[in-house]
Amino acid sequence: MKRVISFILAAIMLLSCYSAGEVKSYAAKMYAEDKIEEIQKLSGFVPGKTSIVTGNCYAFVSAICERLFGNKYQEELYNGYQCRHRTGKFYEVAVLRTTTDMSASSMDRIINFFKQYAMPGDVVHYGSLSNSSSTHTFMIQSVDNTKMRIFHSNFATRNYPSTACHIDTITWDDFRSNPSSSIFYNKMRYAGMGVTINRATNYNTLYYPVGTASTVPPTLSSARTSPTSIKISWNNVAGATKYCLAYKLSSASNYTIVSDSLTTTSYEVTGLTVGSRYNFKVRAFALGKWMDYSDVLTVKALPPTVSVATLKPADKGTSIVWSAKPGLTGVRIYRSATENGTFSLLTTLGASAYSYVDTKVKYGDTYYYKIERYVVVGGKTYSTTSKAFKGTYVLAKPSMIFDRIDSTAVNVTASGDGCQTKFVYYVKSGSKTVQAQKSTTKTQFEIDSLTLGREYTVYAAEKTSLGQGEYGSITFKALPKEIQNTTLTQVKTGIKISFDKNKEADGYKVYKSTTADGTFEEIASLTKDETQFIDKDVKINKAYYYMVKCYIDTSSERYYSECFDSSGPAKYVLSPSSEFTIKRKTLSSMKLSWKAVDFADSYTVSYKIKGGKWQHIDNIKKRSYMVKKLQLGKTYYFKVRGVNPFGNGKFTKKVKIKMLPPTPAAPKTAVKKRGILLTYKPKKYATRYLIYRATKRKGKYKLIATINSHKTKKYLDTNVKKKKNYYYKIVCVTVKNGKTYKSDMSEYAKQKY
């Protein structure tokens, strides 16, 4: 039947072209299921035969997509059942997560998911929620109210081995009554499964949307945005090109069409009467017609209910923050000691209020708050009240970090709720208090007069007018300050490690590793005045990581600074030359030239004839080289790289060039009485020269003369007109062993007669 409909639609399109007085060519749409059936006749996609891809269900479906939509399915799979659609060529239609419940009602949830959202050609991922590697990918071939047929591979079923292409049918009645026989069972039974349906972005351009998904009316939801406006949202209907939103007073007889050309899935209806009930419904335009309306959604126009509020301690009490909304008369805050207790009015705020601080709280006590938004119209009040929000006035235990100033002092930074009037803190070393409690209004405070090598613990707590929170702590050892600003630089003789001088240091140690978190070995010991070191033990293109520590010597012990992060990676690199040119010099030689490579001592030129092996010329000191004994008419590849005692650099990209006569220089021109004289320098290897002319620099150059001698040095063009520009190019021709070889055209020469 669907093929008949497709034929009729194509015929209508063709007839419409004739009626317009002209005939146009159309690439008629078809049904995705029909195209999938065509693909199943191709080798590697035939059901029951070996798949074009074995061992990878995802790659098999990608191969189908390439033939079905013109694009491979190359999205990033994660969670075992979802994809990040980074190519922009596919998108996620819907997601379902299940439990381990195998009841008929749970199976209906899965069935309805596919019936509501899936169409032929959609890509489905499903997998266990407890094991992201337990996953499978298939393509939907067809779906209706009784069954779903799927096309996939690399999955053994009753009818097919894993290496074969599959067409499997999932009958909804069987799935509902016996879920253990389904392909989904092993993913569901342990911890539930996740399922996503994904679709090509060009689906509606290529195929007609069919299946139960294309005829299911949208499901509506609402959100009040002001006392007189409501935002209506609905799910995307497969294949829909636009939507119609209608509404009316619940007591009215007729609906008002808000718009019948909506392309989004939400719309804010404004100008409503507060306190009145309204009915809303939406329908989709798909398959060339308007579908059925959704179920009616009834909503009363009232102030928006506060759904989210943030409660946290503030300096003077509990801070409550919510979002502001337009059109209100005011906001009321209520409080109770229990969630289900009696809520008493705390305060009444203005229309634009979005925050309040409850100062009548006790430290450690829990309170519950409700927020009422209200509007007064014609002497009547309309309001909505939020759920109860819980708040306990307890100051957070601060988190703390430290930064060494030098070996005898540190800065400690404490962070908590950010609501404190001040911090209180004290310092201990072992069991002894070495600094009595102090207070500060700042979040950073200095601890000084430390003894090198001794361990200290700083305790700090938040404090406000309502109480003091729990102490947080941080422990550290008094050591030299960490080395600052370590930089790694490639120099001629290796990798240079540089760092800032520590005025307290008696010396430095440099350490090296080949991985960031590997074992670091000492490679240098420096004096207190040395702040750089060149590591000469490196290899080209190998990554190295470095750490530097300073130390202070006392009469009894040496104390090293800490090093929390390594510097790197650093590589000694000989980059490819930024410019590599090749010029034909004779019938058998090419001159190669290149720009200098930083840190290179010499160069290696490599070349090969097409289909042959590379030949290498090493230890070239200059930045050019003549490759000789090449064969006329043959194609060669060339490349060059820098070399120094640390190793070989990277080659330039190989350049392909055919061995032909060298390109002549542009001819010289002069105006003579009878025409324009061209002169050039002929070569002994030339059999003849061809003279070309054009009247525009980038115009078509036509052959005007053939010079059959390598001794002739000039040509007079007499076929010229006064006050007109001419452009000339020449070509060298060599005949060897019965074969003719032409050079490239020379640069142009311009002459006005």
Side-chain angles (χ1 to χ4, degrees):
M1 181 63 185
K2 61 181 181 293
R3 290 183 175 87
V4 174
I5 296 171
S6 181
F7 175 78
I8 293 171
L9 289 171
I12 291 170
M13 293 170 67
L14 185 60
L15 287 172
S16 66
C17 296
Y18 278 111
S19 65
E22 61 177 3
V23 179
K24 293 182 179 179
S25 175
Y26 284 90
K29 280 189 182 182
M30 63 186 302
Y31 290 90
E33 183 180 354
D34 292 342
K35 184 64 177 180
I36 294 171
E37 290 175 358
E38 287 183 11
I39 293 170
Q40 288 167 348
K41 296 175 183 178
L42 302 176
S43 177
F45 299 93
V46 179
K49 302 294 184 181
T50 301
S51 166
I52 191 173
V53 178
T54 58
N56 190 328
C57 58
Y58 182 99
F60 175 70
V61 171
S62 178
I64 305 172
C65 289
E66 185 176 18
R67 288 153 182 82
L68 189 60
F69 303 112
N71 298 305
K72 290 183 178 180
Y73 191 78
Q74 296 177 316
E75 314 303 311
E76 181 187 344
L77 186 64
Y78 72 103
N79 285 343
Y81 64 95
Q82 287 183 274
C83 263
R84 294 183 178 91
H85 295 288
R86 293 178 173 173
T87 67
K89 296 174 182 176
F90 294 84
Y91 66 95
E92 186 179 273
V93 176
V95 182
L96 174 71
R97 296 174 183 83
T98 75
T99 65
T100 57
D101 181 13
M102 299 291 176
S103 65
S105 61
S106 293
M107 298 307 102
D108 277 337
R109 182 166 172 255
I110 299 172
I111 292 168
N112 291 332
F113 173 73
F114 284 108
K115 287 169 63 176
Q116 180 177 357
Y117 294 109
M119 293 198 297
D122 284 349
V123 176
V124 175
H125 304 295
Y126 71 95
S128 169
L129 294 177
S130 64
N131 184 354
S132 62
S133 64
S134 179
T135 182
H136 186 55
T137 302
F138 63 79
M139 175 169 283
I140 293 176
Q141 181 146 336
S142 66
V143 58
D144 56 36
N145 286 318
T146 62
K147 66 185 180 300
M148 179 170 68
R149 297 173 73 225
I150 64 175
F151 186 34
H152 59 145
S153 183
N154 303 296
F155 189 99
T157 62
R158 181 171 50 192
N159 300 321
Y160 301 106
S162 64
T163 56
C165 303
H166 297 217
I167 298 179
D168 288 306
T169 302
I170 302 171
T171 304
W172 298 139
D173 286 343
D174 290 343
F175 179 57
R176 188 180 293 108
S177 60
N178 186 20
S180 63
S181 63
S182 163
I183 65 170
F184 301 125
Y185 177 69
N186 284 335
K187 306 293 189 290
M188 284 190 295
R189 61 176 175 165
Y190 294 113
M193 72 170 178
V195 187
T196 55
I197 298 173
N198 307 272
R199 185 168 299 148
T201 52
N202 62 349
Y203 190 105
N204 288 350
T205 303
L206 300 173
Y207 305 107
Y208 296 113
V210 297
T212 55
S214 62
T215 59
V216 175
T219 300
L220 307 190
S221 62
S222 67
R224 297 185 182 98
T225 52
S226 79
T228 57
S229 60
I230 298 173
K231 184 178 181 180
I232 304 298
S233 301
W234 57 92
N235 61 286
N236 183 51
V237 174
T241 56
K242 59 182 178 179
Y243 299 93
C244 175
L245 169 61
Y247 81 104
K248 71 180 184 70
L249 278 166
S250 296
S251 58
S253 300
N254 299 320
Y255 277 89
T256 297
I257 302 296
V258 175
S259 174
D260 61 359
S261 58
L262 298 174
T263 56
T264 59
T265 55
S266 66
Y267 188 86
E268 185 176 10
V269 182
T270 60
L272 305 177
T273 301
V274 65
S276 298
R277 289 186 180 276
Y278 292 88
N279 293 350
F280 300 89
K281 61 181 182 179
V282 174
R283 63 177 176 173
F285 188 85
L287 297 177
K289 65 179 182 179
W290 285 107
M291 298 299 175
D292 293 336
Y293 271 109
S294 65
D295 292 338
V296 172
L297 176 67
T298 301
V299 188
K300 192 174 184 180
L302 293 171
T305 304
V306 174
S307 57
V308 178
T310 302
L311 281 70
K312 65 178 184 178
D315 184 23
K316 302 296 184 181
T318 298
S319 167
I320 310 166
V321 179
W322 60 95
S323 61
K325 293 292 182 181
L328 301 177
T329 300
V331 178
R332 298 186 182 106
I333 310 295
Y334 299 85
R335 190 181 80 174
S336 173
T338 60
E339 185 174 9
N340 299 315
T342 301
F343 282 78
S344 302
L345 179 64
L346 271 182
T347 188
T348 299
L349 304 172
S352 59
Y354 60 89
S355 65
Y356 175 70
V357 176
D358 180 10
T359 60
K360 298 177 181 179
V361 296
K362 292 182 179 180
Y363 192 92
D365 285 357
T366 298
Y367 301 90
Y368 295 85
Y369 300 88
K370 289 185 179 181
I371 305 171
E372 178 191 21
R373 289 181 174 136
Y374 70 93
V375 60
V376 179
V377 178
K380 194 171 183 179
T381 300
Y382 302 93
S383 67
T384 57
T385 303
S386 72
K387 65 180 181 179
F389 299 108
K390 181 181 178 181
T392 303
Y393 195 94
V394 174
L395 298 173
K397 178 195 291 188
S399 60
M400 303 164 69
I401 59 173
F402 75 92
D403 178 49
R404 289 187 174 87
I405 300 171
D406 54 35
S407 63
T408 62
V410 300
N411 275 326
V412 173
T413 302
S415 59
D417 291 315
C419 65
Q420 77 289 337
T421 303
K422 58 186 175 181
F423 278 108
V424 292
Y425 66 95
Y426 63 94
V427 184
K428 297 183 73 173
S429 180
S431 59
K432 183 180 179 182
T433 300
V434 296
Q435 190 174 106
Q437 182 170 291
K438 294 182 178 181
S439 63
T440 179
T441 57
K442 298 180 180 179
T443 58
Q444 186 180 88
F445 37 91
E446 183 178 331
I447 310 297
D448 56 13
S449 301
L450 305 177
T451 300
L452 182 63
R454 183 177 291 182
E455 189 171 84
Y456 296 88
T457 302
V458 179
Y459 298 86
E462 287 186 309
K463 189 172 183 178
T464 68
S465 59
L466 296 174
Q468 180 176 306
E470 185 179 352
Y471 278 100
S473 66
I474 189 168
T475 300
F476 58 86
K477 207 172 188 180
L479 294 171
K481 183 175 175 61
E482 300 83 13
I483 294 299
Q484 303 293 303
N485 299 321
T486 301
T487 59
L488 307 176
T489 309
Q490 179 177 329
V491 295
K492 177 81 172 179
T493 54
I495 295 174
K496 183 171 73 172
I497 304 99
S498 305
F499 49 90
D500 288 351
K501 185 175 183 178
N502 185 328
K503 294 180 180 179
E504 292 186 305
D506 292 319
Y508 304 92
K509 297 285 187 179
V510 182
Y511 304 85
K512 173 182 171 183
S513 175
T514 54
T515 58
D517 54 356
T519 301
F520 282 79
E521 297 181 354
E522 181 182 333
I523 60 170
S525 181
L526 308 178
T527 68
K528 64 180 182 180
D529 296 319
E530 294 177 296
T531 57
Q532 63 180 38
F533 172 74
I534 297 177
D535 180 13
K536 300 179 180 180
D537 185 19
V538 297
K539 294 181 179 179
I540 284 181
N541 293 327
K542 188 170 182 178
Y544 298 98
Y545 297 82
Y546 298 89
M547 291 195 309
V548 181
K549 295 182 179 182
C550 69
Y551 60 84
I552 295 175
D553 287 327
T554 66
S555 58
S556 59
E557 193 171 346
R558 172 174 287 181
Y559 295 98
Y560 285 92
S561 64
E562 292 182 310
C563 188
F564 301 107
D565 295 303
S566 60
S567 298
K571 288 184 178 181
Y572 193 97
V573 176
L574 290 182
S575 301
S577 175
S578 60
E579 187 177 306
F580 178 41
T581 59
I582 301 174
K583 187 175 182 180
R584 302 181 184 99
K585 295 300 289 183
T586 69
L587 297 183
S588 61
S589 65
M590 300 271 197
K591 184 178 181 181
L592 282 56
S593 302
W594 55 91
K595 279 194 174 182
V597 173
D598 290 341
F599 311 118
D601 290 337
S602 63
Y603 300 91
T604 294
V605 166
S606 298
Y607 72 97
K608 71 171 184 175
I609 195 169
K610 186 176 181 180
K613 294 183 178 180
W614 287 101
Q615 299 183 55
H616 308 285
I617 301 100
D618 298 317
N619 202 31
I620 299 171
K621 299 296 184 181
K622 297 181 179 180
R623 288 185 286 109
S624 63
Y625 186 79
M626 189 80 73
V627 182
K628 301 178 180 179
K629 297 183 180 180
L630 303 177
Q631 298 179 47
L632 189 62
K634 298 295 182 180
T635 297
Y636 290 85
Y637 296 90
F638 300 88
K639 58 186 180 180
V640 66
R641 69 182 175 193
V643 180
N644 73 10
F646 295 114
N648 298 320
K650 291 184 179 180
F651 275 110
T652 57
K653 289 184 178 180
K654 62 184 179 183
V655 177
K656 177 183 176 182
I657 188 169
K658 193 172 184 179
M659 191 67 249
L660 294 172
T663 304
K668 293 182 179 180
T669 59
V671 176
K672 299 296 182 181
K673 186 176 181 180
R674 294 178 52 231
I676 296 174
L677 180 66
L678 279 67
T679 58
Y680 55 91
K681 293 182 179 180
K683 301 292 183 181
K684 291 183 179 180
Y685 53 71
T687 303
R688 56 181 171 266
Y689 283 92
L690 307 178
I691 311 295
Y692 291 84
R693 188 183 74 179
T695 55
K696 293 182 180 179
R697 182 171 67 86
K698 293 185 178 180
K700 185 176 181 180
Y701 285 79
K702 295 181 179 180
L703 179 66
I704 61 169
T706 300
I707 312 300
N708 291 307
S709 172
H710 69 269
K711 295 182 179 179
T712 302
K713 301 180 180 180
K714 57 187 176 180
Y715 169 75
L716 182 66
D717 181 12
T718 59
N719 187 23
V720 293
K721 296 180 180 179
K722 289 186 176 180
K723 297 183 180 180
K724 190 171 183 179
N725 288 322
Y726 294 94
Y727 299 83
Y728 297 93
K729 293 184 179 183
I730 62 174
V731 171
C732 174
V733 179
T734 297
V735 178
K736 192 171 184 179
N737 298 326
K739 292 185 178 181
T740 300
Y741 303 96
K742 290 183 179 180
S743 72
D744 295 333
M745 276 189 176
S746 70
E747 290 293 320
Y748 72 89
K750 178 183 176 182
Q751 183 62 61
K752 188 174 184 179
Y753 185 65

